[in-house]
């Protein structure tokens, strides 16, 4: 495995296949969309071993959905509401700051970048304030004919403001949007407790898997997300879209504040760890 870094992206390669791409440079939304949706600091695409895409970006129903990404949504700072997720509100955002390191070996490849979660405390026309400085580490391995990807976020509140996180249905340390051609007729979710898109929302799970057809081969491919037991509010609750939402498109989010309020105070650090498995075929619950 190896790492390829340019001015705009960091790519992880296995042989000739660049199976994961992280965006350092800001990526604009489709023509005609509000330019406020421009963002850096996300992963797209993630590929299955057969080269089929497992992520989607800038869907027409939610331009701020960006493959694999993360941000807090309904936040309070000094009694006012801020939002790092819904970019059109111009209240906050997440952005790439710098590359800290890259690593590669016969059996792994990865990178660590610094990201900033900034809030527009003085309005959208003023320089934003960095609330969270984040070390975001991604390490991939080739295991049992699949890409096993560790996704670790370490967020430190470097401001003088308490970041209050009221209980809310979505937002947090990892979010996922599937390819746009996956819908209720050809794809599904499976949680560790046997839940699906019908009954999975707001339930807890140790892992959740998603699958659907490749765009080129139409053979099934899948992505699974596992939660580390040391994460806050483990096993975390899920945001799962039901079949009647956006024609059964797959959007997913582990939400450690779905049930209980939380806060990251000045000087405090939150560490969240997840493992992703990108593979050909449908997921195997026993595995």
């Amino acid at each position: 495995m190896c790492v390829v870094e340019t001015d705009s992206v960091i790519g992880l390669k296995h042989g000739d296949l660049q199976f994961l791409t992280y965006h350092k440079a800001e990526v604009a939304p489709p023509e005609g969309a509000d330019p406020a949706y421009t963002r850096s600091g996300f992963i797209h695409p993630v590929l299955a071993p057969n080269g089929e895409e497992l992520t989607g970006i800038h869907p027409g129903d939610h331009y701020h959905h960006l493959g694999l990404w993360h941000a807090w949504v309904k936040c309070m700072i000094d009694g006012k509401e801020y939002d790092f997720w819904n970019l059109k509100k111009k209240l906050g955002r997440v952005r790439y700051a710098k590359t800290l390191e890259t690593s590669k070996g016969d059996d792994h490849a990865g990178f660590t970048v610094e990201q900033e979660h900034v809030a527009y405390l003085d309005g959208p026309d003023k320089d934003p304030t960095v609330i969270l400085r984040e070390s975001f580490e991604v390490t991939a391995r080739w295991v049992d004919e699949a890409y096993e990807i560790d996704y670790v976020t370490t967020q430190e509140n470097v401001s003088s403001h308490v970041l209050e996180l009221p209980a809310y249905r979505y937002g947090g340390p990892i979010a996922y949007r599937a390819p746009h051609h996956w819908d209720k007729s050809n794809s599904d979710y499976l949680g560790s407790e046997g839940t699906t898109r019908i009954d999975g929302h707001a339930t807890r799970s140790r892992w959740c898997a998603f699958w659907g057809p490749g765009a080129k081969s139409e053979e099934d491919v899948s992505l699974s997300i596992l939660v580390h037991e040391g994460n806050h509010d483990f096993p975390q609750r899920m945001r799962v879209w039901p079949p009647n939402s956006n024609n059964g498109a797959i959007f997913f989010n582990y939400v450690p504040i779905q049930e209980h309020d939380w806060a990251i105070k000045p000087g405090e650090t939150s560490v969240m760890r997840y493992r992703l498995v990108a593979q050909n075929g449908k997921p195997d619950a026993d595995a």
Side-chain angles (χ1 to χ4, degrees):
M1 286 192 170
C2 68
V3 183
V4 178
E5 183 171 11
T6 68
D7 290 341
S8 58
V9 303
I10 302 174
L12 301 185
K13 296 186 70 175
H14 181 221
D16 294 330
L17 184 67
Q18 185 163 309
F19 63 90
L20 185 150
T21 302
Y22 170 85
H23 292 267
K24 298 164 51 177
E26 291 192 332
V27 177
E31 184 177 353
D34 191 322
Y37 289 116
T38 300
R39 208 195 109 154
S40 62
F42 64 93
I43 293 171
H44 172 78
V46 174
L47 304 182
N50 64 3
E52 295 284 6
E53 291 193 2
L54 291 165
T55 54
I57 184 177
H58 291 143
D61 51 66
H62 289 75
Y63 285 127
H64 53 278
H65 285 188
L66 298 163
L68 282 164
W69 80 104
H70 53 272
W72 298 105
V73 181
K74 190 175 182 180
C75 311
M76 299 296 293
I77 301 174
D78 298 335
K80 296 182 179 179
E81 185 173 318
Y82 291 89
D83 187 336
F84 302 91
W85 177 296
N86 292 291
L87 300 175
K88 192 173 183 179
K89 292 182 179 180
K90 300 181 180 179
L91 296 174
R93 63 176 45 248
V94 180
R95 64 191 185 190
Y96 165 85
K98 61 183 178 182
T99 301
L100 298 177
E101 66 176 2
T102 61
S103 64
K104 62 180 179 178
D106 292 340
D107 62 348
H108 78 280
F111 60 87
T112 304
V113 295
E114 182 178 294
Q115 297 190 154
E116 296 173 334
H117 300 236
V118 301
Y120 293 92
L121 301 182
D122 300 312
D125 298 326
K126 302 292 184 180
D127 289 339
T129 300
V130 179
I131 304 299
L132 299 176
R133 181 164 288 122
E134 175 184 37
S135 173
F136 176 39
E137 180 181 358
V138 175
T139 306
R141 293 168 295 276
W142 177 244
V143 179
D144 295 335
E145 303 298 313
Y147 296 122
E148 184 179 274
I149 305 161
D150 285 352
Y151 187 110
V152 183
T153 78
T154 302
Q155 299 175 352
E156 180 186 4
N157 187 338
V158 295
S159 76
S160 60
H161 308 271
V162 176
L163 179 64
E164 299 179 57
L165 302 169
Y168 198 58
R169 68 182 181 275
Y170 69 98
I174 191 167
Y176 168 60
R177 183 65 189 251
H180 301 174
H181 67 283
W182 290 14
D183 59 34
K184 61 186 177 182
S185 72
N186 63 11
S187 66
D188 212 343
Y189 304 69
L190 177 64
S192 64
E193 310 311 302
T195 56
T196 68
R197 62 179 5 126
I198 295 174
D199 56 359
H201 177 65
T203 66
R204 295 183 182 273
S205 74
R206 295 172 290 108
W207 53 262
C208 193
F210 325 92
W211 69 92
K216 296 175 290 187
S217 68
E218 296 188 357
E219 296 177 0
D220 283 326
V221 288
S222 68
L223 184 76
S224 305
I225 304 177
L226 296 76
V227 187
H228 193 280
E229 63 183 5
N231 285 5
H232 177 72
D233 200 45
F234 174 86
Q236 292 171 339
R237 289 182 180 268
M238 302 184 291
R239 172 61 170 154
V240 172
W241 275 359
N244 59 357
S245 180
N246 298 296
N247 195 36
I250 285 186
F251 161 70
F252 176 83
N253 184 203
Y254 269 121
V255 194
I257 46 97
Q258 199 174 76
E259 184 177 9
H260 303 292
D261 298 348
W262 195 36
I264 306 175
K265 300 176 182 178
E268 289 186 345
T269 298
S270 163
V271 181
M272 300 280 186
R273 297 179 175 88
Y274 301 90
R275 175 166 291 170
L276 292 74
V277 180
Q279 59 189 342
N280 302 334
K282 292 183 178 179
D284 181 340
D286 291 337

